[in-house]
Amino acid sequence: ATVAISGLQLTGATGVSFGGTPATSFTVNSDTSITAVAPAGSGVVDVTVTGPNGTSPKGVTARYSYLSGYRLVAADGGVFSYGNAPFYGSTGGMRLNAPIVGMASTPDGAGYWLVAADGGVFAYGDAAFYGSTGGMHLNAPIVGMAPSPNGFGYWLVAADGGVFAFGSAEFHGSTGGMHLTAPLVGMARVPDGGGYWLVAADGGVFSYGDAIFHGSLGGTALRAPAVSLTPVNPFGGGYWIVTADGGVFALGNAVDYGSLSGLVLNRPVVGATATPDGTGYWLTGADGGVFAFGSATYAGSTGGLQLNAPIVGVSGT
């Protein structure tokens, strides 16, 4: 898989290793960016870069996961893990002040956060808690979240486009206070964390920081509302907008690998997530049905199971 590595003083790098094994190949893009091809491996490993000033220290700020899979989350916080995505806990069975509306995985896939409509955040595995809007008076409910690249923070977004940054996540702007033609439904960050996109139910896209605008569906007559924006990882040169009927719209350098448009679905699509190298994606419905396209492989679903609450999101590893 191709991996984007962000850091400082990367110019002149002479080696990149994954768990002690040299990268298959690598390219120094700038002083802050390297693109490398990971060698064969397993588990979660440290990524180190060797250059004129020595070798970068090992640690959780530079790790790569060979885990491949996805997790579904329900409105009651029940978490369902498939493939090589481990289960670390859930709020299923807990009394919540507000329903869960989304989840995000840590960069190494060894943990995740759940977020509720009131902005309450629940951390599992190697995900740490950095704050929440739980207990705050919000002008609109929280509808989604995105993790910072190093896993030491996250952003929350509300239906009015208000953005709340915690930990290492930096605030780059919001639509809070703007008059929107449709409510916001989600957000996604660029690979280096220097910006993010917000997406509205009408497919309108708002770019902040160094996030590049690659187009939107605003003004397009959609058969169903947009439910998510998924960037092409790890480069961020484009994104997919997915609608509730399973329609997939590829913008920028995103490739259309297929969609559910025109099919009769048991329940509407509620989210999407991309494979680590951006050559495929999974869509999931409110019943937990999972649909794999491109290089994404099907590893299971809750379709056909009796759920205590509908599925509201999906996150890949």
Side-chain angles (χ1 to χ4, degrees):
T2 302
V3 180
I5 301 171
S6 298
L8 299 173
Q9 300 178 353
L10 300 180
T11 299
T14 57
V16 176
S17 293
F18 291 74
T21 302
T24 302
S25 64
F26 69 91
T27 301
V28 179
N29 304 311
S30 68
D31 197 49
T32 60
S33 173
I34 289 177
T35 301
V37 176
S42 62
V44 179
V45 299
D46 290 299
V47 178
T48 57
V49 176
T50 300
N53 298 319
T55 300
S56 60
K58 297 178 180 180
V60 296
T61 58
R63 309 197 79 191
Y64 177 73
S65 174
Y66 287 95
L67 304 176
S68 178
Y70 47 85
R71 303 181 182 97
L72 310 181
V73 64
D76 62 353
V79 173
F80 305 88
S81 298
Y82 298 96
N84 292 326
F87 174 80
Y88 294 108
S90 76
T91 63
M94 291 175 56
R95 184 178 181 279
L96 302 175
N97 294 326
I100 299 296
V101 294
M103 75 182 308
S105 295
T106 56
D108 63 8
Y112 45 83
W113 297 275
L114 309 183
V115 63
D118 63 353
V121 174
F122 306 86
Y124 298 95
D126 66 358
F129 177 79
Y130 296 104
S132 76
T133 62
M136 292 176 56
H137 174 71
L138 301 176
N139 294 326
I142 297 297
V143 294
M145 74 184 308
S148 61
N150 61 14
F152 295 157
Y154 41 76
W155 294 272
L156 308 183
V157 64
D160 64 351
V163 174
F164 305 87
F166 298 94
S168 62
E170 297 183 1
F171 178 79
H172 299 291
S174 77
T175 63
M178 293 175 55
H179 175 71
L180 301 175
T181 56
L184 270 292
V185 294
M187 74 180 305
R189 54 104 172 148
V190 296
D192 67 2
Y196 42 75
W197 299 278
L198 310 181
V199 61
D202 64 353
V205 175
F206 305 86
S207 301
Y208 296 95
D210 63 5
I212 298 174
F213 178 77
H214 297 292
S216 78
L217 306 179
T220 302
L222 300 176
R223 296 179 179 178
V227 296
S228 71
L229 180 150
T230 302
V232 179
N233 294 322
F235 306 107
Y239 41 74
W240 296 278
I241 297 177
V242 174
T243 54
D245 63 350
V248 176
F249 300 85
L251 302 171
N253 68 0
V255 176
D256 184 354
Y257 294 109
S259 76
L260 303 174
S261 184
L263 298 179
V264 177
L265 304 176
N266 292 328
R267 297 292 300 276
V269 168
V270 295
T273 189
T275 58
D277 62 1
T279 60
Y281 43 77
W282 295 275
L283 309 184
T284 186
D287 61 351
V290 174
F291 308 88
F293 297 91
S295 65
T297 57
Y298 176 79
S301 76
T302 62
L305 296 179
Q306 181 66 41
L307 301 176
N308 295 325
I311 298 297
V312 295
V314 58
S315 181
T317 61

